[in-house]
Structures are given as C-alpha cells and as structure tokens.
Amino acid sequence: MPYLLIVTVLWAFSFSLIGQYLAAQVDSDFAVLLRVLIAAAVFLPFTVWRGLPQRLLAGFWLAGALQFGITYLCLYRSFAVLTVPEVLLFTVLTPIYVVLLDDALQRRLNRWALLAAAVAVGGGVIIRFQPLHGDYLLGFVLLQVANLTFAAGQVLCRRLLQRYPVPQPLYRYFGHFFLGALLLALPSFLLFGNPERLPQTGMQWGVLLYMGLFATALGMYWWVKGSVAVSAGTLAIMNELHVPAGLLVNVLIWNRNVDLPRLALGGAVILASLWLNRLGRRRQPALA
C-alpha cells in the first residue's frame, strides 16, 4: 500500500503538469518517447537478459506496450481535446476494468471487489461530474482505450509476478517493461510526431525529465511492486485516488477553483470503498 500511495502523489502532479506545460505545446508522441527512453535508461544497466522464464519476459514486454505505450499515447492525445478536469472525469472507470480483467484471468467473478470498485467509481463521479459541453466524444474514447490498456498492463504484471516467482529482484528485469513500451513509442513518433513541436523552454524539458524519472521510471516500478502486495480490489480502488489527488494539486499549486464539499464527499466514498473491499475479503472464506 505505501508504494501505491507514493505513486498516486507522483501521478497526481503529472496530470497537472501535462495540462499546464505540455498539452497543445509539445508533440505528444515525443513526450511519450522521451519518458520511455529516460525510464529505460534508468533500469537497463541492471537488466538481466538470461535465466528468466520466457513467458515472464514476454509478458513484461506486452505489459509495457499496453500500460505505457498505448495508454500514454492515448492519454497525451486526449489533452488536445479535453481539459484537465475532463481528463480526470473520464478516467474514473479504470477500477472497473481492473477487477473485470483480473476476474477474467482467474475465470471467476469477485462480486465484492466489483462492488467496491463501483463504489470507488461513484466517489470519482461525485467529485468530477459536471455538465459536458463541446466535442468531447473523441477524448472520451481515447481515455477509455487508455483506461483499458492501463488496467490490462497492471493486472498482467501482477499475475506474472505471482505466477513466476524468480530469485532476482524486480529491478533486475523491469527494464523489459520499458523496452515493450519502446516498441510502440518509437514508431509512433517516427510516423506521427511533429519535430517542429519539440520542447522550447527549460521548464518543458524539466517537466519531461521529472515525469520520465519519477512518474514513469520510479512510478511504474513502485506501482507494479505494490500491486502484488494488495488484493485486486484494493489495486482497483487505488486507481481512483488520482482523481481527488489530482484536484488537490490543482488547488494547492495553481489555485484552481474546486468544490471542496464535493471533493470531501467523493474522497470519503472512495475511502469507504476500501473498507467495503476489506469486508468482502473477510466474508469470502466463510462463504466458500
């Protein structure tokens, strides 16, 4: 849980930084590619290339392509047509995807986890719901693809680590995750990137460096590491905490207006979903 909480804070800053300094200013494909390259550079010096299960390595390449490649390419594009609050609103469904995908892999339905995830989503909607105006359908579709692939990547990593325990610590083979992401990020920039929209200011380069090192390299590593220490239901709910966390960053750093009573109510509902998930985990053995 501590790992997941730390990453939630890191990613809360990322949403605001992207919207404030990068969206509509820096080419989105280049931003994703640079983040992947920085993260890969952090882990590749420690990477083990032999002696690991082939399915584990292949799974990490696939997870990287899903969770960072497709997810972040869609996420960055969504900022071109949506505001930061709209992005936060349209990402509230991720917990549902996490539970359903984890259940699909285990060929069962965990009703308590699904209920807890739905309650967490309700908390996110309480915080973020507002009448929508303009052409937001494309942004909504992009973010649902991002939500689904992000959920699939983290569920896949969690299942791989549980199924293939190896003596090497995670950081010795986590570089494979970012190599998988690079398989999509590099061709995407070469095909669709705009070299005329590279970062122009020290602030933009600094934001990309921060997100590559902290939000991407350490953030993804800690998130995957933390995912195996909690239940699938808890992991799903933690995906929802970025909504209140992201809004708090907007308030504290950029003094944006926010409905504090709604933020408090929605946050309380999300926390209540954690209690509900724990209650379900206690009752399941008795029902079995």
Side-chain angles (χ1 to χ4, degrees):
M1 182 73 81
Y3 285 117
L4 301 182
L5 290 172
I6 292 172
V7 178
T8 296
V9 175
L10 292 177
W11 288 349
F13 280 92
S14 294
F15 280 101
S16 294
L17 290 172
I18 293 172
Q20 189 76 15
Y21 296 108
L22 302 181
Q25 302 176 54
V26 176
D27 180 71
S28 60
D29 293 287
F30 176 78
V32 173
L33 176 61
L34 184 59
R35 290 180 65 174
V36 172
L37 289 173
I38 292 172
V42 171
F43 286 100
L44 286 182
F46 309 102
T47 298
V48 174
W49 300 93
R50 296 181 180 179
L52 294 170
Q54 291 301 309
R55 290 189 177 182
L56 175 66
L57 295 185
F60 265 80
W61 280 65
L62 175 59
L66 289 171
Q67 196 172 354
F68 199 92
I70 297 177
T71 295
Y72 279 81
L73 289 172
C74 291
L75 173 64
Y76 271 79
R77 280 168 169 77
S78 73
F79 279 96
V81 292
L82 299 174
T83 64
V84 172
E86 287 172 336
V87 170
L88 290 172
L89 172 62
F90 292 155
T91 57
V92 298
L93 293 175
T94 304
I96 299 293
Y97 298 142
V98 171
V99 171
L100 291 178
L101 288 171
D102 186 77
D103 283 352
L105 288 177
Q106 298 193 61
R107 299 181 180 179
R108 51 109 166 125
L109 178 62
N110 187 335
R111 293 180 176 83
W112 279 99
L114 185 59
L115 175 60
V119 171
V121 168
V125 171
I126 289 173
I127 296 171
R128 283 302 337 137
F129 182 77
Q130 56 186 335
L132 299 172
H133 305 284
D135 186 12
Y136 56 83
L137 180 59
L138 175 60
F140 176 81
V141 172
L142 284 171
L143 283 175
Q144 296 323 299
V145 174
N147 292 343
L148 183 59
T149 54
F150 187 70
Q154 58 187 300
V155 169
L156 178 57
C157 284
R158 181 174 181 271
R159 300 299 299 171
L160 287 168
L161 292 176
Q162 291 175 335
R163 186 170 183 178
Y164 299 103
V166 294
Q168 292 89 346
L170 178 60
Y171 72 87
R172 296 300 306 276
Y173 54 93
F174 199 64
H176 293 279
F177 178 93
F178 294 110
L179 291 176
L182 193 61
L183 287 179
L184 291 181
L186 180 57
S188 181
F189 173 68
L190 295 176
L191 291 172
F192 307 111
N194 184 356
E196 297 181 358
R197 294 181 57 206
L198 298 185
Q200 300 296 318
T201 68
M203 177 61 75
Q204 290 173 338
W205 283 107
V207 167
L208 286 172
L209 179 62
Y210 162 82
M211 291 198 297
L213 180 58
F214 292 99
T216 304
L218 296 178
M220 297 301 294
Y221 173 73
W222 284 336
W223 191 264
V224 171
K225 192 175 179 66
S227 69
V228 297
V230 299
S231 68
T234 300
L235 178 63
I237 294 166
M238 292 301 297
N239 276 268
E240 199 69 19
L241 282 181
H242 75 275
V243 177
L247 287 174
L248 283 176
V249 168
N250 266 338
V251 172
L252 297 176
I253 304 300
W254 284 285
N255 297 316
R256 301 289 175 82
N257 293 326
V258 65
D259 190 333
L260 291 179
R262 284 179 60 182
L263 178 60
L265 176 60
V269 171
I270 295 173
L271 292 177
S273 70
L274 286 171
W275 171 82
L276 183 62
N277 180 66
R278 176 173 292 187
L279 176 64
R281 291 178 62 195
R282 290 175 179 175
R283 296 189 62 175
Q284 279 177 334
L287 294 175

